[in-house]
Amino acid sequence: MAQEEFMLTQQLHGVTLVLLRGNIVEVQTDAIVNAANSSLAGGGGVDGAIHRAGGPTIMAECARFDGCPTGSAVVTTAGHLKARYIFHAVGPIYRDRPDDARLLASAYQTCLTLAEEHALHSIAFPSISTGVYGYPVTKAAPIALRTVREHIEQTTGLQQVLFVLFDANTYTAYKTALAELVQ
Ligand code: APR
């Protein structure tokens, strides 16, 4: 039986970009990005997994914010997780409107800016908006990867950017989008 593929590494402007199939709560990066909602109230998917694994301090910190607008992100500490910070990013609910792509890119860009502001070396993203929020992953993956590439083309302190992708379909979509991005 062929071994299932689970990891791909690509050097991009001096930064190591990693596509990893797995569970984001298990990775060790300076920041882990959560796919949150605008009330920061918790939920299922990555959000549920992060709050479950990280413990109640993360929700207590989320409650101090007056929510978070779509396309933006807020910072908390990471509770029991191995990261220093959780960046709670709010992607758009997919409606097939021109604004969807702008808001999705903005959610990623806000996290990258926060990483620079906190002088971080590594960050792990899930596939924001492509679960409950219904963004087709074949459309979302190129936006996510392009936003990262455009960011790291500028001066960056980041050394490693991970995309932690839960299922085979999502992993394959990112792998295809990365091949197109670097060709
Ligand atoms: N690690 C990595 N990826 C995960 C994990 C995990 N532990 N759990 C789920 N995923 C994947 C999903 O399979 C999907 O590919 O993350 C991607 C994003 O899915 P969602 O978590 O549903 O996020 P999103 O589509 O942005 O919807 C956000 O869902 O959980 C609620 O509170 C959240 O209301 C918000 C909405």
Side-chain angles (χ1 to χ4, degrees):
M1 198 166 72
Q3 203 185 348
E4 232 182 321
E5 192 188 356
F6 67 98
M7 192 168 132
L8 181 71
T9 301
Q10 172 83 48
Q11 292 299 319
L12 217 55
H13 304 283
V15 177
T16 306
L17 181 68
V18 182
L19 305 186
L20 180 68
R21 202 180 146 194
N23 185 341
I24 203 162
V25 302
E26 289 167 9
V27 304
Q28 187 153 17
T29 46
D30 293 333
I32 289 175
V33 176
N34 182 16
N37 53 62
S38 55
S39 56
L40 301 174
V46 195
D47 203 0
I50 285 175
H51 283 289
R52 264 194 312 278
T57 57
I58 300 176
M59 184 53 78
E61 288 182 47
C62 281
R64 290 185 205 144
F65 294 94
D66 187 17
C68 176
T70 302
S72 192
V74 301
V75 183
T76 69
T77 57
H80 307 309
L81 297 177
K82 292 175 205 149
R84 289 165 61 195
Y85 301 105
I86 305 295
F87 295 168
H88 303 265
V90 184
I93 298 171
Y94 184 72
R95 295 192 175 91
D96 197 13
R97 293 184 192 160
D99 236 20
D100 295 338
R102 182 185 66 79
L103 290 167
L104 185 63
S106 172
Y108 282 101
Q109 182 56 61
T110 306
C111 293
L112 293 162
T113 303
L114 286 169
E116 306 297 350
E117 285 171 4
H118 290 78
L120 304 188
H121 295 313
S122 58
I123 183 167
F125 288 101
S127 180
I128 298 171
S129 283
T130 67
V132 173
Y133 279 2
Y135 212 121
V137 70
T138 50
K139 290 187 199 287
I143 295 167
L145 293 172
R146 217 182 306 127
T147 306
V148 168
R149 185 182 66 180
E150 283 169 11
H151 179 80
I152 62 184
E153 278 169 357
Q154 322 295 320
T155 307
T156 177
L158 283 166
Q159 295 167 359
Q160 209 181 34
V161 178
L162 275 70
F163 281 88
V164 185
L165 309 161
F166 209 49
D167 57 276
N169 185 43
T170 305
Y171 180 82
T172 303
Y174 276 75
K175 192 177 145 195
T176 304
L178 182 59
E180 283 167 9
L181 190 79
V182 299
Q183 79 184 355

